[in-house]
Amino acid sequence: MASDFDLYRPSEEHEMLRDSVRALAEAKIAPHAAEVDEEARFPEEARDALVANDLHAVHVPETYGGAGADALATVIVIEEVARVCGSSSLIPAVNKLGSLPVILSASEELKKRYLTPLAKGDAMFSYCLSEPDAGSDAGGMKTKAVRDGDHWVLDGVKRWITNAGVSDYYTVMAVTDAEKRTKGISAFVVEKDDPGVSFGAPEKKLGIKGSPTREVYLDNVRIPADRMIGAEGTGFATAMKTLDHTRITIAAQALGIAQGALDYAKGYVQERKQFGKPIGDFQGVQFMLADMAMKIEAARQLTYAAAARSERVSEGSGKEDLTFFGAAAKCYASDAAMEITTDAVQLLGGYGYTRDYPVERMMRDAKITQIYEGTNQVQRIVMARNLP
C-alpha cells in the first residue's frame, strides 16, 4: 500500500470548510443564539450570514447554481452551526430535507424552477410528511390529492413541519390512490403563496425554539400537474429514500450540539474552583469529560462514515447499506448528545440549570434529535430490518 495514502480522515478541503464555518458561526450566529431561544424567534441573523457565505443550502448541485457540496461537507456545515445554535442548524438541514425529493426524483424542469432560487438564498424548503394521526406510521397519511384536468387538488393537514411559514416551498406527500396504500402516495411541490395554503400557530416547544414548527393546512389547493415529483405513486418511496440521506444531517446536528456542550464544560471546569483548586482537577470530573469526548468521537466516526455512504449512493453505488448506516448514525449520535448535554449541565452544577449558561439550552435542543425524522425506537426497527 502506498505510504502517502491518506487513511480514513476528511480531506484538507473538508477541514478548511470546518474552520471557515466555525469562524462564521462564532462571529455571526453564536452572539444571537440565547436571544433567539429566549424570544422563540426565527434566527434571521443566521440566515443572512449563511446566505451571504453560500452555506444555507450547500447540497444543491452546481448545475442549478449551488455549491455542489458532497454529503460530508453538508454534515460539517450543519455540525459547526449546531455547535453554537441548534435552531440555526436547521436552516441548511431542512433546506436539504425539503429539496432532496426534488433532486432525487423530479423532472429537470422542476429542478431548475425550485433549486435555482434555493441555491441563491431567495427561498427555503420544508418537508411535509407527518400528519396528526400519521407520525411513525407515515404510510397512514390522510392528505389527499385528486386529479382535475391539468391540475391536482390537495386537501389535508400536515403536522410538525419545521420552518413552516418561513419556507417558500414545501414537498408534500399526499394520497392519490388509497387502494394502493404506500404505493398510492405521490409527492408534490406546494408553494407558500398557493391559494388555500395556511399555517397553524407555532408550537410551544422544549427546544430549538428559534425554528418554527407549525401545522400546514391544505384547503382545496389547486396546483399544476407538472408540480408532481416523479411518477404518480412513487412519493412514499421517494420520501423513504430521502430520509436515508437526511437522517445523517440530524446526526450531524446532534453531534454539533454535543460538541458545543463539551467545549463549554471543558472551559468551565478549569475556571470553577472548589476546595482550593479547579474542579477539572478532580478525577470524577475528568472521567465524565473523558466519557463525553469518547461518545462524541464515536458518533462523529459513525456519522462521517454514513455521510460517505450517502455520497457514494448519490453517485450511483447501490451497495452501501445506507438505510442501516443512516439510522445508526442518527440514533447513536442523538442518544449520545442527550447524555453529553445532560452531563454538561451536571458539570456546571446549579449554574448549568440556568439560562445564563448555554448548556441548559443545548440539553433542551438535543432532545428533539432523538425524536424527529423517525424516533430512535423506529431507528432500531429500521436497523434490525437492514442489518449489514
Side-chain angles (χ1 to χ4, degrees), residues 4 9 12 24 34 83 100 123 139 160 173 182 188 198 222 230 232 248 268 286 288 292 301 310 329 342 365 372 387:
D4 62 349
R9 69 179 183 184
E12 183 179 355
L24 175 74
R83 179 175 166 269
L100 194 59
W160 311 122
M173 308 298 165
T182 57
F188 303 86
S198 60
R222 177 180 292 269
E232 183 177 347
I248 301 166
Y268 179 86
Q286 293 171 357
M288 288 180 69
M292 293 161 74
Q301 295 299 327
S310 171
T342 301
D365 286 350
Y372 58 15
L387 293 174

Side-chain angles (χ1 to χ4, degrees), residues 202-280:
E203 301 288 350
K204 298 177 181 179
K205 299 177 298 185
L206 174 72
I208 57 164
K209 294 183 179 181
S211 175
T213 303
R214 305 167 72 176
E215 288 188 327
V216 177
Y217 303 127
L218 306 165
D219 183 13
N220 202 37
V221 176
R222 177 180 292 269
I223 62 172
D226 65 3
R227 286 217 226 140
M228 178 180 281
I229 299 171
E232 183 177 347
T234 63
F236 192 78
T238 295
M240 296 302 103
K241 289 178 184 177
T242 295
L243 293 174
D244 281 346
H245 292 276
T246 59
R247 282 174 179 143
I248 301 166
T249 68
I250 302 305
Q253 182 190 37
L255 178 59
I257 293 169
Q259 186 69 63
L262 174 59
D263 290 347
Y264 194 89
K266 282 193 303 183
Y268 179 86
V269 300
Q270 294 307 315
E271 296 177 1
R272 173 68 169 169
K273 292 185 177 181
Q274 292 288 276
F275 306 103
K277 60 181 178 180
I279 63 173

Side-chain angles (χ1 to χ4, degrees), residues 244 247 322-328 375-387:
D244 281 346
R247 282 174 179 143
L322 179 59
T323 301
F324 174 87
F325 273 88
T375 67
N376 283 2
Q377 287 70 34
V378 167
Q379 300 314 308
R380 287 174 169 86
I381 294 173
V382 171
M383 284 186 276
R385 292 176 178 172
N386 293 274
L387 293 174

Side-chain angles (χ1 to χ4, degrees), residues 93-115:
V94 176
N95 275 338
K96 180 170 183 176
L97 173 63
S99 64
L100 194 59
V102 175
I103 293 173
L104 291 174
S105 303
S107 66
E108 189 62 27
E109 194 279 329
L110 271 190
K111 290 178 182 179
K112 290 179 180 178
R113 189 191 314 176
Y114 291 109
L115 296 178

Side-chain angles (χ1 to χ4, degrees), residues 266-340:
K266 282 193 303 183
Y268 179 86
V269 300
Q270 294 307 315
E271 296 177 1
R272 173 68 169 169
K273 292 185 177 181
Q274 292 288 276
F275 306 103
K277 60 181 178 180
I279 63 173
D281 289 351
F282 294 108
Q283 190 177 65
V285 169
Q286 293 171 357
F287 282 3
M288 288 180 69
L289 291 170
D291 283 343
M292 293 161 74
M294 177 176 61
K295 291 171 186 173
I296 285 175
E297 191 54 38
R300 180 171 287 115
Q301 295 299 327
L302 182 54
T303 300
Y304 287 12
R309 283 170 166 80
S310 171
E311 186 63 24
R312 288 194 289 269
V313 167
S314 297
E315 292 175 350
S317 172
K319 301 178 181 179
E320 294 294 343
D321 300 320
L322 179 59
T323 301
F324 174 87
F325 273 88
K330 188 269 188 192
C331 186
Y332 183 82
S334 59
D335 280 351
M338 197 66 240
E339 294 169 4
I340 291 161

